[in-house]
Amino acid sequence: MSIAYRVQDYIAEHDLPWDPVPHDESHSSRELARLAHVLPDRVAKAVVLEDRYGYVLAVVAADRRLDVSELDFALQRDLRLSNERKLPSLFTDCAPGAVPPVGPAYGVPTVWDERLGELPEVYFEGGDHHTLVHMSGAAFSELMRSAQPLHGRHH
């Protein structure tokens, strides 16, 4: 498998440069960083949350923890981690558990830690467990333009 077609299309629509980085199969964002030989703070991980109003995708660096209660307060929601079994119906072209942090490509409202855009480079899961998308922080920032920035502490 390569990166998900919706991710490829979304990057292409924004005309952003990127390159694939193959890696051994991983099952967590920290493991992914280690296997790909990149710093965890440069890996953007996707956390899928839900409440009675629907889904929200939160994007933070792999070395950070998302403060869900703070996000609830900021968004005036009552979010909880989504059930992994529901995700294949949202991310139909992705391997189970390989959610890319590009929620807008899937029609999922997205919030993100805009500090990722200040990094020289960003890596993220492309929709399988074997390929990272690599792009500059500036390109990632452009890719996340329609996402809502996270404010405050979220780790």
Side-chain angles (χ1 to χ4, degrees), residues 41-115:
D41 70 337
R42 296 188 181 192
V43 175
K45 70 177 175 182
V47 180
V48 183
L49 305 154
E50 66 177 301
D51 66 7
R52 63 189 178 121
Y53 300 110
Y55 295 96
V56 172
L57 188 124
V59 180
V60 296
D63 67 341
R64 297 194 180 275
R65 290 180 49 87
L66 178 68
D67 185 333
V68 177
S69 61
E70 192 170 298
L71 185 58
D72 279 348
F73 180 77
L75 299 178
Q76 297 297 295
R77 306 267 304 251
D78 187 21
L79 296 163
R80 65 191 173 284
L81 284 176
S82 186
N83 185 322
E84 286 261 333
R85 287 175 290 182
K86 294 181 181 179
L87 299 184
S89 65
L90 272 180
F91 301 94
T92 56
D93 61 345
C94 297
V99 176
V102 192
Y106 294 88
V108 178
T110 302
V111 295
W112 74 298
D113 182 349
E114 56 194 338
R115 291 178 289 188

Side-chain angles (χ1 to χ4, degrees), residues 22-41 43 45 62-63 97 125 129-130 132:
H23 61 85
D24 290 334
E25 185 164 342
S26 62
H27 297 285
S28 74
S29 52
R30 284 188 179 271
E31 181 185 25
L32 180 149
R34 183 180 57 77
L35 292 171
H37 307 289
V38 299
L39 296 171
D41 70 337
V43 175
K45 70 177 175 182
D63 67 341
E125 188 69 76
H129 292 286
H130 300 282
L132 282 176

